[in-house]
Amino acid sequence: MSDEVRVPTAILISGRGSNMAALLAAAQDPGYPARIVLVLSNRPGAAGLARARETGIPTAVVDHAAHPDRESFDAALDARLRAAGVELVALAGFMRILTEGFVRAWEGRMINIHPSLLPAFRGTRTHERALAAGVAEHGCTVHHVVPELDAGPTIAQARVPVLQGDTPEILAERVLAQEHALYPRALADVARTLRDATRH
Ligand code: GAR
């Protein structure tokens, strides 16, 4: 597939970047419908940045601590994405709440992975809360990003059983393995849909 028909995509991270690594690996296939043009972090020390640099993908930091408020942070983020020619954004462990204006500007072109079967367990500490609730099944969701946190339309989900003796860490690992398989498939679906919608 030629580069013109691969949707230029940014991955936004805040931490270790294991989902980012799964997306980068999938996008190495020249037939993958998204081309990763930028990995961006709001934290200069995010481990995922080093991992991205090793693969030769351009990286950027927009440090939230260097901005006085959410609006100015989001404006800087938006400028950086547009400068890189980004058309699709994949949040991968990006732990910042985005302003409504930013989300509206990217709506339909920004997706996220969340470690629960949404609408169950929005927010943080999802594995701990799933165990406390005694659910038999847990998992992860890729969804479109809307202004309300963890509330956008679902693109894909993967399920895992909750087993006797699970701790939040053990359960997180079981879910994470599913995230790494699910997110590359979901990003490909969204990129294909966008590409087909803009092609005449
Ligand atoms: C992943 O489990 C992801 O689903 C979660 O953070 C982890 C990031 O890991 N995201 C959220 O909780 C978003 N609200 P990674 O940096 O290794 O991909």
Side-chain angles (χ1 to χ4, degrees):
M1 197 181 295
S2 76
D3 270 356
E4 302 93 81
V5 292
R6 302 182 72 197
V7 181
T9 301
I11 304 173
L12 270 50
I13 63 169
S14 298
R16 79 192 147 178
S18 71
N19 276 290
M20 171 209 74
L23 295 178
L24 290 179
Q28 276 185 346
D29 176 350
Y32 193 77
R35 181 166 54 95
I36 311 304
V37 296
L38 184 68
V39 169
L40 186 149
S41 178
N42 64 308
R43 292 181 193 277
L49 281 174
R51 221 160 158 178
R53 282 190 206 107
E54 278 165 24
T55 69
I57 300 286
T59 60
V61 173
V62 178
D63 186 350
H64 65 272
H67 291 83
D69 50 34
R70 289 193 189 278
E71 284 71 22
S72 66
F73 171 76
D74 284 5
L77 187 58
D78 187 72
R80 202 71 180 69
L81 295 172
R82 291 185 193 281
V86 169
E87 292 176 18
L88 176 57
V89 175
L91 307 182
F94 186 68
M95 306 307 268
R96 290 293 297 171
I97 292 172
L98 297 161
T99 59
E100 176 164 4
F102 180 90
V103 172
R104 292 274 183 232
W106 287 91
E107 207 163 338
R109 293 179 171 274
M110 181 159 58
I111 64 175
N112 179 48
I113 188 154
H114 182 78
S116 77
L117 293 172
L118 290 174
F121 311 118
R122 294 174 177 170
T124 58
R125 299 184 300 100
T126 57
H127 309 302
E128 195 183 317
R129 286 159 56 214
L131 288 177
V135 293
E137 262 194 335
H138 188 43
C140 51
T141 304
V142 178
H143 63 95
H144 284 284
V145 178
V146 297
E148 193 184 341
L149 195 65
D150 301 329
T154 293
I155 297 160
Q157 287 188 315
R159 291 164 188 278
V160 301
V162 176
L163 303 176
Q164 199 144 37
D166 272 355
T167 62
E169 294 72 27
I170 292 169
L171 185 56
E173 240 175 78
R174 193 176 305 127
V175 172
L176 196 62
Q178 293 302 314
E179 294 186 41
H180 297 163
L182 183 73
Y183 209 2
R185 286 204 307 269
L187 175 63
D189 285 347
V190 174
R192 243 180 250 117
T193 304
L194 278 179
R195 186 189 62 195
D196 294 348
T198 52
R199 210 196 254 166
H200 301 288

